[in-house]
Amino acid sequence: MGIIRKTQSVEVLLNEFQEKSNAISAIELIKRLSSQINKTTVYRVLDKLEDDGVLHSFLDNSGIKWYAKCNDCSKAGHTDMHPHFQCVSCGKVDCLSIEVTIPPIPNREIEVSQILIQGRCESCNVK
Amino acid sequence: MGIIRKTQSVEVLLNEFQEKSNAISAIELIKRLSSQINKTTVYRVLDKLEDDGVLHSFLDNSGIKWYAKCNDCSKAGHTDMHPHFQCVSCGKVDCLSIEVTIPPIPNREIEVSQILIQGRCESCNVK
DNA sequence: ATAATTAATGCAACTGAGTTGCAAATATAG
DNA sequence: CTATATTTGCAACTCAGTTGCATTAATTAT
Ligand SMILES: [Zn+2]
Ligand SMILES: [Zn+2]
Ligand SMILES: [Zn+2]
Ligand SMILES: [Zn+2]
């Protein structure tokens, strides 16, 4: 349904995505903002921000939901598709700006593809 | 830990994967076998069959677990990596035998990649 | 500015997939 | 056939996410 009013909760949540550009799990946001926003509200605002093309979401390999900023999406739809990377060592998740081409599959019409890559991130790799 | 004894439950579950070669969700198996096997046992046997390299599992875009037969995996490890396809129309899920290459990512060491493609399957595409 | 309208919020209770502990049942080895 | 170890069923639990509803806050109309 999208955001209609510019409330405190919306402002606070958007602020969390201002600084760093990596993804944040819904659970982490709920924990971080527990003193300011109720968890139901966190889920609802995230949902609306996704509808508005401000954030996009995806599930990690344990089925929990992550959110990150969109690049060129709008209320009309999410066009900014990309793989996500989760570090098996530190757990950090971020958006990859690489292009992965899915070859056409006979008799099947591809709509979307979700790619989750797991490995070791820059910081964890040097050690 | 793997399967040690050839019990009824193991036999019944393996049988479900005998016929068709598409993936089956844990929930569907629990529903299907509810008169024969308890849900806890279903989860436990599936888990062990995965350890043995007989089945492999993955999550769909709503976070629920699916299982399918492996090709050349063993107790030693799962080598048979491939994308999965879920039909947005009928919900059917199957393994794709296509190869999708993930380009190397600077400073990151890739371990595994999970690819879930959504679209319309053969049967739903003709209509 | 004030009141009326409508959307957003908090809370508590719920949902549903998957897990855990433990006692009873069953498979395998001797 | 008995002893031992694994597997099973059950009930109770976990935990991310959802729902209903009364209250609060933002926007619009007066
Ligand atoms: Zn890391
Ligand atoms: Zn992203
Ligand atoms: Zn279909
Ligand atoms: Zn598969």
Side-chain angles (χ1 to χ4, degrees), chain B residues 45-91:
Chain B
V45 171
L46 289 172
D47 205 49
K48 288 181 175 181
L49 288 170
E50 188 170 20
D51 281 355
D52 284 345
V54 177
L55 299 178
H56 61 281
S57 75
F58 54 94
L59 302 180
D60 71 7
N61 68 315
S62 63
I64 79 154
K65 213 166 186 180
W66 292 74
Y67 284 87
K69 272 189 280 188
C70 285
N71 271 331
D72 291 304
C73 301
S74 71
K75 202 169 280 193
H78 287 269
T79 50
D80 176 25
M81 295 297 177
H82 52 261
H84 293 100
F85 185 94
Q86 182 162 37
C87 178
V88 292
S89 173
C90 68

Side-chain angles (χ1 to χ4, degrees), chain A residues 85-93 119-125 127:
Chain A
F85 185 94
Q86 181 161 38
C87 178
V88 292
S89 171
C90 68
K92 199 174 69 182
V93 175
R120 294 175 66 85
C121 77
E122 319 91 313
S123 355
C124 294
N125 217 6
K127 299 172 201 161

Side-chain angles (χ1 to χ4, degrees), chain A residues 59 61 63 94 96 100 102 105 107-120 122 125, chain B residues 59 61 63 85 94 96 100 102 105 107-120 122 125:
Chain A
L59 301 180
N61 70 315
D94 32 38
L96 294 176
V100 175
I102 308 283
I105 311 157
N107 304 317
R108 282 184 236 221
E109 196 187 306
I110 297 178
E111 282 186 9
V112 260
S113 58
Q114 287 155 54
I115 304 178
L116 180 70
I117 300 168
Q118 287 166 273
R120 294 175 66 85
E122 319 91 313
N125 217 6
Chain B
L59 302 180
N61 68 315
F85 185 94
D94 32 39
L96 294 177
V100 176
I102 309 283
I105 311 157
N107 304 318
R108 283 184 236 222
E109 194 188 308
I110 298 179
E111 283 186 8
V112 259
S113 58
Q114 288 154 54
I115 304 178
L116 180 70
I117 300 168
Q118 287 165 272
R120 295 174 64 84
E122 318 93 312
N125 218 4

Side-chain angles (χ1 to χ4, degrees), chain A residues 5-30:
Chain A
R5 295 181 181 179
K6 268 160 201 159
T7 63
Q8 276 291 316
S9 313
V10 172
E11 208 171 306
V12 170
L13 266 165
L14 278 178
N15 199 49
E16 291 296 315
F17 290 93
Q18 226 60 47
E19 305 295 301
K20 299 208 175 177
S21 67
N22 51 313
I24 315 174
S25 71
I27 293 168
E28 168 65 20
L29 286 166
I30 289 163

